[in-house]
């Protein structure tokens, strides 16, 4: 389960910061040396390198060379900072110009863009966005991605549901890939080495005659991928299934039919 979620802070202050409605409160005294952008960039760099567990206001302040209380004059707390970090990552995402291209190519581009986002910022895949940060980065991303599904006969609700399904699939793949990398790092072995080491142990306790289908299919998958799970294959195969489901839905919409009619 995600340990962090967006929109967990003060909504009014978060939206004010996301949209930069005005500068932080101006107070008498020396001119302030930091900016919200600098705080967000530093926090993002920490999360990229060490994960969200390492991200604290104290650590951000240390990297910026200020006392922690200084940060609170820019950002109320970690919850609001997380929204700013994620929105900044969304704003920086490369967006493929797929105008005039077939819908499958447009949808694949959206999926690949999000997969690349999670590869650059693995922490982003661990964050629950059921209440998304409605900042400029998020809105630009949503607008861009919806256009991949526009004009296909889908209703607005179907477009939103298709996009949500696609992004949920990509995020799940990113989390699974991160888990696979973590397992490899923790064991200091790749999957093939791990299976080579443990296969004899499994063979001594597993009665192949009791599980013939599992043994046959598992052996075929292991031979093909060198492991029980291959992130690249899971993504490619899963995306093909998603596209097939979308194709059926689009065909129904264009024919004016509904499932089961």
């Amino acid at each position: 389960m995600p340990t962090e979620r967006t929109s967990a802070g003060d909504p009014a202050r978060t939206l004010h910061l996301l949209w930069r409605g005005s500068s932080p409160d101006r107070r008498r005294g020396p001119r302030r040396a930091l900016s919200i952008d600098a705080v967000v960039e530093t926090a993002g760099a920490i999360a990229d390198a060490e994960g969200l567990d390492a991200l604290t206001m104290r650590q951000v302040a240390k990297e910026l060379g200020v006392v922690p209380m200084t940060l609170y004059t820019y950002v109320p707390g970690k919850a609001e900072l997380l929204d700013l970090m994620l929105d900044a990552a969304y704003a920086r995402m490369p967006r493929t110009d797929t105008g005039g291209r077939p819908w499958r190519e447009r949808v694949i581009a959206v999926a690949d863009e999000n997969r690349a986002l999670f590869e650059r910022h693995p922490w982003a895949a661990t964050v629950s966005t059921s209440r998304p940060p409605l900042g400029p980065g998020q809105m630009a991303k949503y607008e861009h991605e919806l256009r991949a599904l526009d004009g296909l006969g889908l209703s607005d609700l179907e477009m939103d549901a298709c996009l949500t399904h696609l992004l949920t699939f990509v995020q799940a793949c990113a989390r699974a890939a991160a888990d696979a990398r973590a397992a490899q790092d923790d064991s200091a072995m790749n999957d093939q080495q791990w299976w080579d080491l443990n296969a004899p142990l499994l063979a001594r306790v597993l009665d192949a005659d009791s599980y013939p289908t599992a043994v046959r299919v598992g052996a075929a998958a292991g031979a093909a991928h060198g492991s029980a799970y291959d992130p690249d294959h899971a993504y490619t195969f899963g995306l093909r299934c998603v596209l097939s489901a979308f194709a059926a839905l689009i065909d129904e919409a264009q024919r004016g039919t509904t499932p089961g009619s």
Side-chain angles (χ1 to χ4, degrees), residues 34-81:
L34 295 181
S35 68
I36 295 176
D37 290 339
V39 173
V40 173
E41 182 177 350
T42 300
I46 294 171
D48 287 346
E50 304 177 55
L52 287 180
D53 288 344
L55 180 65
T56 64
M57 298 293 278
R58 181 175 297 276
Q59 184 62 26
V60 175
K62 181 180 178 181
E63 293 293 326
L64 288 167
V66 300
V67 297
M69 287 305 299
T70 299
L71 292 187
Y72 293 100
T73 65
Y74 293 86
V75 181
K78 185 177 176 180
E80 292 84 0
L81 179 57

Side-chain angles (χ1 to χ4, degrees), residues 165-166 169 173 231-245:
H165 182 69
L166 177 68
F169 159 73
C173 284
D232 289 335
H233 176 265
Y235 176 77
T236 301
F237 178 81
L239 184 55
R240 193 175 81 194
C241 293
V242 170
L243 292 171
S244 294

Side-chain angles (χ1 to χ4, degrees), residues 107 142 145-146 148-167 242 245-259:
V107 171
Y142 188 49
E145 292 170 349
L146 284 173
L149 297 162
D150 201 14
L152 301 177
L154 299 174
S155 70
D156 289 349
L157 289 179
E158 288 171 331
M159 288 172 59
D160 179 77
C162 284
L163 180 58
T164 298
H165 182 69
L166 177 68
L167 299 186
V242 170
F246 285 7
L249 189 63
I250 291 167
D251 183 59
E252 290 164 358
Q254 293 179 347
R255 288 189 290 110
T257 61
T258 57

Side-chain angles (χ1 to χ4, degrees), residues 66-114:
V66 300
V67 297
M69 287 305 299
T70 299
L71 292 187
Y72 293 100
T73 65
Y74 293 86
V75 181
K78 185 177 176 180
E80 292 84 0
L81 179 57
L82 180 60
D83 285 348
L84 291 166
M85 291 163 54
L86 196 57
D87 199 69
Y90 289 162
R92 290 193 298 265
M93 286 178 67
R95 310 199 201 283
T96 307
D97 182 4
T98 57
R101 289 164 60 179
W103 71 263
R104 286 176 181 268
E105 292 184 20
R106 301 200 301 266
V107 171
I108 290 172
V110 169
D112 288 348
E113 288 163 2
N114 280 273

